[in-house]
Amino acid sequence: MKILKTIAEVREQVKAWRAEGLTVGLVPTMGYLHEGHASLIDASVRDNDRTVVSDFVNPMQFGPNEDLATYPRDLEHDAQLVEAHGGDIIFNPEPEEMYHKGFSSFVDMTVLTEELCGLSRPVHFRGVCTVVSKLFNIVKPDRAYFGKKDAQQLAVIKHMVRDLDMDIEIIGCPIIREEDGLAKSSRNTYLSEEERKAALILFHTLRYGEFMLKNGERNVAKITAAMKEKIAAEPLAKIDYVKIVDLDTMQQITEVDRPALCAMAVYIGKTRLIDNFFTEDLWNSADPKNKEIK
Ligand code: PAF
C-alpha cells in the first residue's frame, strides 16, 4: 500500500494498472477512517482489481463558520486501516495540489441541493461536486463508493455523473452503526461522554419514524412532527432539519407515496450529526425491532 501526494503520481500508477487491463475502484474520503469507510473499501476491493482511497479534507465544502480547522486527521491510522482492508493507494494531496493558485472552475448543481444539507450548508455541495469531479478526472475509476449516511451527497453524485456523462458506476453502501445504533461518523469524536449518550436520539427517532410508516402512516407532516417532538425532549439536541423528500429529486413531499428519504440533521451540543433511512430499505427489511418501538 502506497501513500501518494501528487496528481501526477496517481495518474502514473493508474496508467500502469490500466496497461495490465486491471479495473480500478475509488473510495473518496476526508480521512479519519472508521468502519463505515472500511465497508466502502471492502466493497471496492471485492468489485475491482485495484482500489484507490482519497484522503483529503476538502476546504471547498466547508462554510466559513464550520469545522474545517478542527476536522480530525490521522494519516497513520488511515494507512493502517486501508492496508488491512486491501486498498492499494491512499491519495493524500495538500490543498495546494488540488487547488492551484488562480483555481476558478466549479461544478455546481441546482434542484437536488435545495433542501436538507444543501439548504443549511449553502456552499457544501458545490465543494463536494467540484472535488469529486476532480478525483474522478485524476483516478478515472470504473466504480466509486459512497456511504448512504450522506444520502443527499449520494443522490447528488449519481445525478452529476448522469448529467455530465461521466462513465463511472456509483455504488451506495449501507450505513454502518455503533452497537447501540449511532451512525459511525468522524465527527462522533467531537462528542463528550454525555453528548455521546444524547446522540442516540437520532437513531431512536428514526426508528420511531420507521415504526409510524410500518404501521401505515403516510402523512409527512404527521410523521415529521412526531419525530421532532421526540428530539425536542432531549435537552442537548437542537434540530437543524427533519424532512422526508422524494428520493430522486430530494424535494419535499407531503405523502409517502413513492420511494423517499427520511433525513435529519441535529446538533448535539456544537456537533452537527446527520442520519437517515430510505423507505425502500424499510419495506425490504424484515427487522422485527420495527414492531417493538412505541
Ligand atoms: O463524504 C465525504 O467524506 C466527502 O464529502 C467527500 C465525498 C470525500 C468529498 O470531499
Side-chain angles (χ1 to χ4, degrees), residues 28-30 58 61 128 131-132 146 150 153:
T29 82
M30 296 209 299
N58 173 34
Q61 69 189 70
V128 170
V131 80
V132 171
F146 295 85
D150 295 297
Q153 170 171 281

Side-chain angles (χ1 to χ4, degrees), residues 68-118:
L68 173 61
T70 55
Y71 197 84
R73 292 159 167 89
D74 188 346
L75 185 58
E76 207 175 302
H77 160 84
D78 293 350
Q80 281 167 11
L81 185 141
V82 171
E83 172 116 59
H85 286 266
D88 298 281
I89 282 183
I90 292 184
F91 175 42
N92 176 237
E94 293 302 319
E96 304 73 47
E97 177 72 5
M98 291 299 272
Y99 301 115
H100 58 82
K101 199 161 171 280
F103 185 93
S104 50
S105 305
F106 303 92
V107 181
D108 216 340
M109 189 176 292
T110 54
V111 188
L112 271 82
T113 59
E114 284 167 2
E115 287 287 347
L116 312 177
C117 292

Side-chain angles (χ1 to χ4, degrees), residues 257-273:
D257 53 4
R258 67 196 92 174
L261 169 75
C262 176
M264 59 169 63
V266 176
Y267 285 92
I268 302 294
K270 287 199 169 95
T271 305
R272 184 175 178 278
L273 299 176

Side-chain angles (χ1 to χ4, degrees), residues 56 58 60-61 98-99 126-136:
F56 175 60
N58 173 34
M60 199 188 282
Q61 69 189 70
M98 291 299 272
Y99 301 115
R126 179 165 118 141
V128 170
C129 288
T130 302
V131 80
V132 171
S133 301
K134 283 174 68 67
L135 291 167
F136 286 176

Side-chain angles (χ1 to χ4, degrees), residues 67 71 231 240:
D67 57 343
Y71 197 84
I231 298 170
D240 178 354

Side-chain angles (χ1 to χ4, degrees), residues 7-280:
I7 294 167
E9 287 171 311
V10 175
R11 285 207 162 126
E12 200 183 322
Q13 176 63 84
V14 172
K15 207 166 150 193
W17 289 338
R18 290 296 185 196
E20 288 179 60
L22 302 177
T23 57
V24 179
L26 171 66
V27 180
T29 82
M30 296 209 299
Y32 213 72
L33 305 180
H34 49 66
E35 286 92 332
H37 300 110
S39 74
L40 306 181
I41 299 169
D42 290 343
S44 176
V45 169
R46 184 194 61 215
D47 297 347
N48 304 279
D49 298 315
R50 296 288 181 268
T51 291
V52 178
V53 178
S54 64
D55 187 322
F56 175 60
V57 181
N58 173 34
M60 199 188 282
Q61 69 189 70
F62 289 79
N65 299 317
E66 295 183 350
D67 57 343
L68 173 61
T70 55
Y71 197 84
R73 292 159 167 89
D74 188 346
L75 185 58
E76 207 175 302
H77 160 84
D78 293 350
Q80 281 167 11
L81 185 141
V82 171
E83 172 116 59
H85 286 266
D88 298 281
I89 282 183
I90 292 184
F91 175 42
N92 176 237
E94 293 302 319
E96 304 73 47
E97 177 72 5
M98 291 299 272
Y99 301 115
H100 58 82
K101 199 161 171 280
F103 185 93
S104 50
S105 305
F106 303 92
V107 181
D108 216 340
M109 189 176 292
T110 54
V111 188
L112 271 82
T113 59
E114 284 167 2
E115 287 287 347
L116 312 177
C117 292
L119 189 62
S120 313
R121 306 181 67 191
V123 300
H124 179 66
F125 284 114
R126 179 165 118 141
V128 170
C129 288
T130 302
V131 80
V132 171
S133 301
K134 283 174 68 67
L135 291 167
F136 286 176
N137 285 331
I138 294 164
V139 178
K140 298 200 180 71
D142 297 283
R143 299 177 191 85
Y145 297 78
F146 295 85
K148 281 172 131 181
K149 182 168 81 68
D150 295 297
Q152 188 177 19
Q153 170 171 281
L154 176 62
V156 163
I157 300 295
K158 280 187 173 167
H159 206 84
M160 176 183 83
V161 162
R162 203 171 59 212
D163 283 356
L164 302 182
D165 305 303
M166 295 169 164
D167 192 12
I168 297 169
E169 191 183 349
I170 303 301
I171 318 273
C173 299
I175 297 177
I176 304 295
R177 299 183 178 279
E178 303 285 354
E179 205 132 283
D180 61 4
L182 181 67
K184 300 251 184 197
S185 163
S186 305
R187 290 190 169 98
N188 290 350
T189 138
Y190 298 150
L191 301 170
S192 69
E193 209 175 307
E194 199 190 1
E195 288 170 344
R196 171 65 184 77
K197 283 187 199 137
L200 270 185
I201 191 66
L202 279 88
F203 177 64
H204 291 313
T205 302
L206 285 170
R207 299 306 301 256
Y208 189 65
E210 288 178 356
F211 176 79
M212 289 180 80
L213 275 161
K214 282 255 177 186
N215 282 281
E217 184 58 68
R218 294 290 178 271
N219 184 283
V220 168
K222 279 191 191 154
I223 298 167
T224 52
M227 292 172 75
K228 284 180 184 169
E229 201 178 305
K230 223 170 155 53
I231 298 170
E234 167 50 62
L236 295 182
K238 191 167 127 282
I239 297 170
D240 178 354
Y241 65 77
V242 177
K243 286 181 183 170
I244 298 183
V245 296
D246 178 294
L247 194 55
D248 286 330
T249 63
M250 296 282 121
Q251 298 284 312
Q252 290 197 69
I253 53 178
T254 52
E255 290 291 312
V256 183
D257 53 4
R258 67 196 92 174
L261 169 75
C262 176
M264 59 169 63
V266 176
Y267 285 92
I268 302 294
K270 287 199 169 95
T271 305
R272 184 175 178 278
L273 299 176
I274 58 173
D275 204 344
N276 67 70
F277 66 84
F278 290 59
T279 55
E280 292 313 278

